[in-house]
Amino acid sequence: MQKTIAIITSLLLSMFSSLVMALDARVDRTTLPDNETLQLELSGSFSAFNLSIDLSPLDKDFRVLDNRRSTNMQYINGNFAAKTTLTVTLEPKRSGLLTIPPITIEGESSKPIQLNVTKAGQGNAGDPNMPAPIDIEVTLDTPDTWVQAQMLLKIKLFQSVELYNLELLGVKELQQMGLTIEKIGENKTYQSKRNNVTYHVTELNYVLYSDTPGSFKLPEFIFEGQMPSRASRYGKRLEARSDEITVNVKDIPKNYPSANWIPARDLQISDDLADNIELELGDSLNRNLVVSVYGQEAAVIPNMPELDSDLINVYADSPELNNQLTQDGMTGVRMDNIALISKKPGRLILPEIQIPWFNTTTGKTEIATLPSRTITIKGSGINQTQPSPAMPAAPQNPGNLAQPPASSANKAAQSAVQNEPQVVKEDAIPGWFLLIFGLVCGIVIVQTGVILRLYQKTPDLPDEPAETNRPTDWDESLPDDFVVCFRIIQKALQDHHLTIESLPDETQSLIDRFRATHYGSSQTNASFTDSDREQLRQQLKQFFEAKTVNAQGPSLYPQ
């Protein structure tokens, strides 16, 4: 029995030791006055049972008021995963730049954390001999700002006694003044000391915007509640009022270079494309543009410039606008997804994108810039290899579409050879021998050319699996996949030495709709039905039959 327990204990120890990770340390804030407390959390894969932790390194600059532990254990895919969190309540002993030193638990050490501890004032706590049981403190990060620029409002509610029927007055008055106000996250709670009295603090944070320039005063904020009293069944009413705050909102600078006013702390623009991109004809490319503005909503970000080029087709999704509220305020993000489909060879330059914005920190106009991008589209869409005048053109892919007819140059060359006058000398080789020898050589040359052309690789098209070959004739239905269908059409055009612009406008329009359906998103209005695909097949059939008849070549379809 003892041996079994030892084996199980050994397995558990080895299992937990394999899950040990670095000790993670974090605090609820890094800036605080010296009369307030903060929470330090230490997390790792250590056991909370019979755990001895040395917190003495904290004694130099902090008082350890409390510590508590919690463990979360899970059994995932046959393995145990355990995470223990130690929460320590600390009170700074002094102001200044303090450091929470590394804490070591079971051989793992946390990283040091820097704190900025400021000297606390007396506030409205009152006379030290008669401290106020309730108080309020209101601050604005920037009382001197610009129209529509972000302001951060912080309200702290202090109470040293138990109260009920608590109420904060003044927030609704901000909306009545025409200010835009949004609350940031949940309320924070911690402890603070004033005049040797411990207060329970509730902190509220808001974002403010003013659409109107000028000077005004924030409304008076009132924190009130009732304290139990033996003298009255309704208790004793207490209240605290905030100090007066004057705000100066400046108008848009006259030298601002854009009609789109963006006052912010920062603005950044980026995409996921490199420069000097190469595409094959018919290939697609997705461009994801991301614009982030710090201190503003995403709605202020302007629309991205439209691309206009005959080398590509452009399909843009509706932009995604996201707003995030953090302790630093509002962050707006706009994301644009744009599909680019190459349709002609050439060199395409995506132009530089510039967005002017106003830096509220420096009070100056800046321009966020995304550099231009160069895209080279390869492939001409035409078989550039012309048949030799001495040899008639042979089919590149027998059994599929019909071969192009022999060119007039070939016919002229053959006619010239056949009609060339024969000059016979007395001492020359007999003419009948030369005639027979020439016919034999001609047959060998023609047969050799046919064999070579049979195995010649189709230019300007990548290797593709057998199932993507075009159908035996145009009586078969076109494939559902646009890429395969486009290769079929392009190859047929190459066999006739034509480009896609040679097709009728109605046929080109159907191909463009087919492409849009293949590359577009669910928000794309273009649609291509089975009826449209059948109409495209009929038009292509008529077009290539007419080209075959006009060229006086073999019929495309067997009779």
Side-chain angles (χ1 to χ4, degrees), residues 458-492:
T458 302
D460 298 331
L461 285 177
D463 294 336
E464 54 189 58
E467 63 268 19
T468 62
N469 289 338
R470 60 180 182 273
T472 304
D473 54 53
W474 291 101
D475 287 333
E476 299 183 15
S477 61
L478 292 175
D480 294 339
D481 190 286
F482 171 75
V483 176
V484 179
C485 181
F486 184 77
R487 285 174 174 165
I488 292 172
I489 299 171
Q490 188 181 33
K491 185 61 183 66

Side-chain angles (χ1 to χ4, degrees), residues 112-306:
I113 301 176
Q114 298 290 331
L115 299 178
N116 181 19
V117 181
T118 60
K119 187 68 176 177
Q122 296 300 320
N124 295 330
D127 189 277
N129 297 323
M130 298 183 62
I134 188 172
D135 195 13
I136 183 171
E137 183 179 290
V138 179
T139 57
L140 197 63
D141 70 327
T142 171
D144 192 16
T145 185
W146 283 265
V147 62
Q148 297 176 356
Q150 170 185 278
M151 295 176 284
L152 295 178
L153 178 67
K154 180 177 294 185
I155 302 176
K156 292 183 179 180
L157 308 177
F158 299 82
Q159 61 182 94
S160 61
V161 295
E162 182 180 356
L163 301 174
Y164 61 94
N165 292 338
L166 296 176
E167 190 173 3
L168 173 64
L169 305 177
V171 176
K172 292 182 179 179
E173 284 73 8
L174 291 173
Q175 297 174 338
Q176 295 173 358
M177 294 175 58
L179 299 175
T180 301
I181 178 171
E182 291 192 48
K183 192 172 185 300
I184 301 176
E186 301 293 332
N187 297 341
K188 291 183 177 180
T189 58
Y190 47 88
Q191 291 182 351
S192 177
K193 277 191 175 180
R194 288 185 171 186
N195 301 325
N196 297 321
V197 176
T198 300
Y199 284 85
H200 176 78
V201 184
T202 301
E203 181 180 309
L204 302 86
N205 292 276
Y206 298 89
V207 173
L208 288 180
Y209 298 93
S210 175
D211 294 333
T212 306
S215 296
F216 59 90
K217 294 180 180 179
L218 292 182
E220 188 178 40
F221 293 91
I222 302 175
F223 176 42
E224 63 180 26
Q226 290 180 312
M227 183 175 64
S229 173
R230 296 181 180 179
S232 172
R233 58 180 296 188
Y234 299 106
K236 181 180 179 180
R237 182 179 177 276
L238 301 176
E239 74 171 28
R241 296 176 178 268
S242 66
D243 294 334
E244 184 178 86
I245 297 179
T246 301
V247 183
N248 180 32
V249 179
K250 291 173 282 189
D251 204 349
I252 301 174
K254 294 182 179 180
N255 60 351
Y256 185 71
S258 173
N260 189 40
W261 169 244
I262 307 178
R265 291 186 292 108
D266 193 11
L267 189 146
Q268 299 176 2
I269 178 172
S270 63
D271 68 358
D272 55 355
L273 296 185
D275 198 10
N276 298 321
I277 301 172
E278 293 185 354
L279 291 180
E280 295 294 334
L281 191 64
D283 285 352
S284 64
L285 180 69
N286 280 339
R287 188 186 198 190
N288 295 300
L289 286 169
V290 180
V291 182
S292 301
V293 57
Y294 301 90
Q296 280 293 337
E297 295 182 344
V300 304
I301 302 174
N303 293 329
M304 297 298 101
E306 296 182 358

Side-chain angles (χ1 to χ4, degrees), residues 22 96 114 127 221 239 304 356 359 391 450-451 512-513 548:
Q114 298 290 331
D127 189 277
F221 293 91
E239 74 171 28
M304 297 298 101
N359 191 324
M391 187 190 321
V450 171
I451 294 173
D512 287 341
R513 286 179 52 203
T548 303

